[in-house]
Amino acid sequence: MIFKKKSTLVVVILLCNFLIACQPRITKHGNFIDINNLDLIKKSKLNKSEVLEIFGEPTTKSTFSDNVWYYITLTQYEKAYFEIKNTENKILIISFDNNQIVKKYSLLTERDATEITISARKKGSNSQDDITLIQEFFSIFSRKLDAP
């Protein structure tokens, strides 16, 4: 009798663990963009230090200018062992003028994204496509020997 109760308890615990493992998991990555904080940008002229205080360090800065900051947020949905889906993606772009005051900002979402389709490589009639790595390796040496 005691064995039956213990085995039933073990089965129930294992079943609960299995069901918990199937629960969807939602993870958020990057900086979290609060709509109330966006209202602060609209209503007042913030400088860089105030933006740092409100939003934190930017995810990345522009390569060409230190006056453009990007805050990126990604929310992913994962269920058990199935494919991970990106459910929400936001990018806040803040541009500053030379006086380090917010000049403009924009919030990009999935609706602003452009779908890119990748096409398969087409094999041409060029004989260069048929050269293997080893042939290419030896051709480098032959060109070096032919060079004056």
Side-chain angles (χ1 to χ4, degrees), residues 40-103:
L40 283 173
I41 295 177
K42 285 180 191 175
K43 294 176 182 175
S44 59
K45 293 192 175 237
L46 301 175
N47 60 30
K48 282 186 178 182
S49 62
E50 291 170 332
V51 171
L52 277 174
E53 211 173 291
I54 295 169
F55 292 102
E57 283 291 323
T59 307
T60 188
K61 295 179 182 178
S62 174
T63 306
F64 304 108
S65 170
D66 192 38
N67 288 333
V68 181
W69 291 359
Y70 299 93
Y71 291 91
I72 302 170
T73 301
L74 173 66
T75 305
Q76 293 180 323
Y77 176 86
E78 178 182 9
K79 188 168 185 178
Y81 300 103
F82 298 109
E83 181 181 352
I84 298 172
K85 296 178 184 175
N86 295 340
T87 56
E88 183 180 40
N89 193 1
K90 292 181 184 176
I91 302 172
L92 174 63
I93 304 169
I94 302 176
S95 300
F96 299 94
D97 61 14
N98 292 334
N99 297 327
Q100 298 187 349
I101 304 294
V102 174
K103 181 171 55 174

Side-chain angles (χ1 to χ4, degrees), residues 16-53:
C16 288
N17 283 336
F18 179 72
L19 291 174
I20 289 171
C22 291
Q23 288 285 340
R25 182 173 31 169
I26 297 173
T27 55
K28 295 186 178 201
H29 305 276
N31 298 73
F32 303 110
I33 301 166
D34 187 9
I35 302 300
N36 297 329
N37 292 341
L38 287 178
D39 289 339
L40 283 173
I41 295 177
K42 285 180 191 175
K43 294 176 182 175
S44 59
K45 293 192 175 237
L46 301 175
N47 60 30
K48 282 186 178 182
S49 62
E50 291 170 332
V51 171
L52 277 174
E53 211 173 291

Side-chain angles (χ1 to χ4, degrees), residues 73 88-92 106-114:
T73 301
E88 183 180 40
N89 193 1
K90 292 181 184 176
I91 302 172
L92 174 63
S106 60
L107 182 64
L108 304 176
T109 61
E110 295 89 11
R111 287 179 252 126
D112 301 311
T114 303

Side-chain angles (χ1 to χ4, degrees), residues 140-148:
I140 292 171
F141 285 115
S142 65
R143 285 184 283 196
K144 293 281 185 189
L145 293 174
D146 291 341

